[in-house]
Amino acid sequence: MASQLPDDFKCPISLEIMSDPVILSSGQTFDRVSIQRWLDSGHRTCPVSKLPLPEPPTLIPNHALRSLISNYTLVSLPRPQPYPSNPQNLIQTLVSSLSPLDDKLNSLDQLSRMSKRDSGIRRRLTESGAVSAVLDCVNSSESGLQEKGLHLLLNLSLDDDNKVGLVAEGVIGKVVSALRSGAGDSRAVAATVLTSLAVLEVNTVTIGSYPDAIPCLLALLCAGNSRERKEAATALFTLCSFPDNRVRAVQNNAVPILLHNVNSGLERAVEVLGLLAKCRLAREEIMRFDRFLDILIEVLKNGSSRGVQYALLTLSSLCSYSEKICLEALKLGVFEICVGLLEDDNEKLRRNAKTLIKVFQGRKRIA
């Protein structure tokens, strides 16, 4: 039907038939949702004429055009859905110390939805000075405020330009506090925020050196629910890309906690072990546990492709380090498992299997 309607019935932005046409001060008509998104992205010119718009821009309902479109199609168009509240009003509600709790919760909800996919909204939040208000929510003893604040903080951390600035504003201490004592989903989201921030190498160093960051992640990995343990392991994996953080993790009892989680079916934990095993201190800790080879071999036999990759990586580090471990692995059939994995479709998995085979072959030649 749309192809049979006049072009004047179509929004110049979306090129779709308008359901709620509105007029800008430039005289151009647009669908309300489309032009509101344009304005909320920070634009202050007409998309068609490029003429400057007043502040704030005014949207006047074009009832005549709406009536024409409705009569032309011989059907009633759906009632226009109200566009979400103006982001600036939501930000003002959030930063005001006088705003009631329910209003702040509503603002956090709407800003989280808006900012999830809209970088313009995220930029407006950071430039408006709202970050300190978000951090106050994260640090709140009111569980609803804390959890919703963490969700919004996670969205803000999506942009690389924000990651360093958030750390500079003291986000790590607030997030670690939520890791330690948060309620509901707060602890899982807090771990995810650390993962997002640690994508930048400079933040990996800063977070890892924060006194309670790695210990709190390990505590969550030890005692959290399934989601919390998975998010904690993901954060640890990101942080342990930096060598000094591997040492910190081992010094905080990471090895037995990770082995227990691998044995319980959390494959993300074997990925962290693969990184830790590059560290001599971690290799020595792993070898203290009688069943570590059985645990890793179980992953080789029944794990996902990614789990198998990191189990192979861990075994390569251990077998290169210790002839005794290498011989035990050979007795337990790890060489034959590796040969079978050379037929796998996953290129990284095949490469790790070849590496471990070379370690075995090198040990045999030495012997």
Side-chain angles (χ1 to χ4, degrees):
M1 180 181 291
S3 61
Q4 301 172 5
L5 296 176
D7 287 342
D8 288 343
F9 289 4
K10 298 177 183 178
C11 173
I13 297 175
S14 68
L15 303 181
E16 300 290 336
I17 301 302
M18 291 181 278
S19 62
D20 185 22
V22 293
I23 306 170
L24 274 184
S25 60
S26 64
Q28 299 290 334
T29 296
F30 303 84
D31 205 19
R32 183 184 293 274
V33 170
S34 296
I35 190 60
Q36 189 68 62
R37 285 175 181 154
W38 168 268
L39 297 172
D40 286 345
S41 295
H43 299 290
R44 287 300 178 265
T45 58
C46 171
V48 175
S49 69
K50 308 303 180 186
L51 292 172
L53 301 174
E55 184 63 47
T58 303
L59 303 180
I60 303 172
N62 192 333
H63 297 298
L65 182 57
R66 176 177 167 80
S67 178
L68 278 175
I69 295 172
S70 180
N71 290 333
Y72 199 98
T73 58
L74 300 179
V75 295
S76 295
L77 291 173
R79 292 180 61 83
Q81 296 298 313
Y83 193 79
S85 303
N86 186 297
Q88 191 57 45
N89 293 339
L90 295 172
I91 292 171
Q92 289 173 355
T93 299
L94 185 61
V95 301
S96 173
S97 59
L98 301 177
S99 298
L101 174 61
D102 286 347
D103 289 354
K104 285 201 172 189
L105 291 171
N106 178 61
S107 293
L108 286 168
D109 266 338
Q110 292 200 51
L111 287 170
S112 290
R113 285 196 296 270
M114 292 179 182
S115 62
K116 190 170 185 178
R117 294 182 177 85
D118 192 332
S119 60
I121 297 293
R122 296 196 291 269
R123 184 170 59 251
R124 186 184 297 192
L125 277 161
T126 54
E127 291 175 352
S128 68
V131 171
S132 60
V134 177
L135 292 181
D136 286 342
C137 294
V138 171
N139 204 40
S140 172
S141 59
E142 208 289 321
S143 59
L145 270 182
Q146 183 183 65
E147 185 176 327
K148 293 179 187 298
L150 283 164
H151 278 289
L152 181 52
L153 186 61
L154 178 59
N155 291 348
L156 295 179
S157 73
L158 295 175
D159 298 322
D160 284 352
D161 290 345
N162 288 343
K163 295 182 192 293
V164 174
L166 288 171
V167 170
E169 292 209 36
V171 68
I172 298 175
K174 304 292 195 303
V175 173
V176 169
S177 179
L179 269 179
R180 186 187 301 110
S181 57
D185 287 337
S186 290
R187 297 196 298 175
V189 181
T192 310
V193 171
L194 290 184
T195 300
S196 178
L197 293 171
V199 169
L200 286 188
E201 185 176 353
V202 64
N203 284 349
T204 303
V205 177
T206 306
I207 296 169
S209 61
Y210 190 87
D212 291 335
I214 288 176
C216 282
L217 286 170
L218 287 168
L220 192 60
L221 186 57
C222 187
N225 60 36
S226 58
R227 182 190 172 194
E228 289 170 346
R229 290 187 297 116
K230 182 178 179 181
E231 296 300 339
T234 303
L236 284 166
F237 178 81
T238 308
L239 290 172
C240 288
S241 62
F242 180 60
D244 286 1
N245 288 342
R246 298 169 196 163
V247 175
R248 293 186 180 103
V250 176
Q251 290 172 338
N252 282 279
N253 211 33
V255 168
I257 294 172
L258 289 166
L259 284 169
H260 173 75
N261 275 272
V262 175
N263 196 39
S264 300
L266 182 65
E267 282 198 355
R268 192 65 54 85
V270 81
E271 298 174 23
V272 185
L273 271 180
L275 293 182
L276 293 188
K278 297 179 180 182
C279 159
R280 179 184 59 80
L281 184 63
R283 293 193 293 269
E284 292 177 352
E285 281 295 311
I286 293 171
M287 291 187 297
R288 293 178 188 272
F289 291 84
D290 292 336
R291 293 192 60 252
F292 77 88
L293 276 176
D294 294 331
I295 292 171
L296 292 173
I297 290 170
E298 181 65 23
V299 178
L300 292 184
K301 291 179 177 178
N302 299 307
S304 67
S305 291
R306 188 169 173 86
V308 173
Q309 285 177 48
Y310 280 91
L312 289 167
L313 180 64
T314 305
L315 285 165
S316 293
S317 296
L318 293 169
C319 292
S320 297
Y321 181 68
S322 168
E323 182 179 357
K324 178 183 177 183
I325 298 302
C326 187
L327 293 174
E328 288 182 16
L330 284 168
K331 289 178 184 178
L332 292 171
V334 175
F335 182 87
E336 290 76 14
I337 294 174
C338 289
V339 172
L341 292 173
L342 294 178
E343 303 299 320
D344 195 271
D345 292 336
N346 187 296
E347 192 273 334
K348 288 183 179 179
L349 191 154
R350 293 197 307 272
R351 185 170 65 240
N352 286 1
K354 288 178 184 177
T355 299
L356 185 49
I357 287 172
K358 288 179 181 178
V359 172
F360 287 139
Q361 291 172 337
R363 286 289 186 184
K364 285 180 180 178
R365 282 196 297 270
I366 293 173

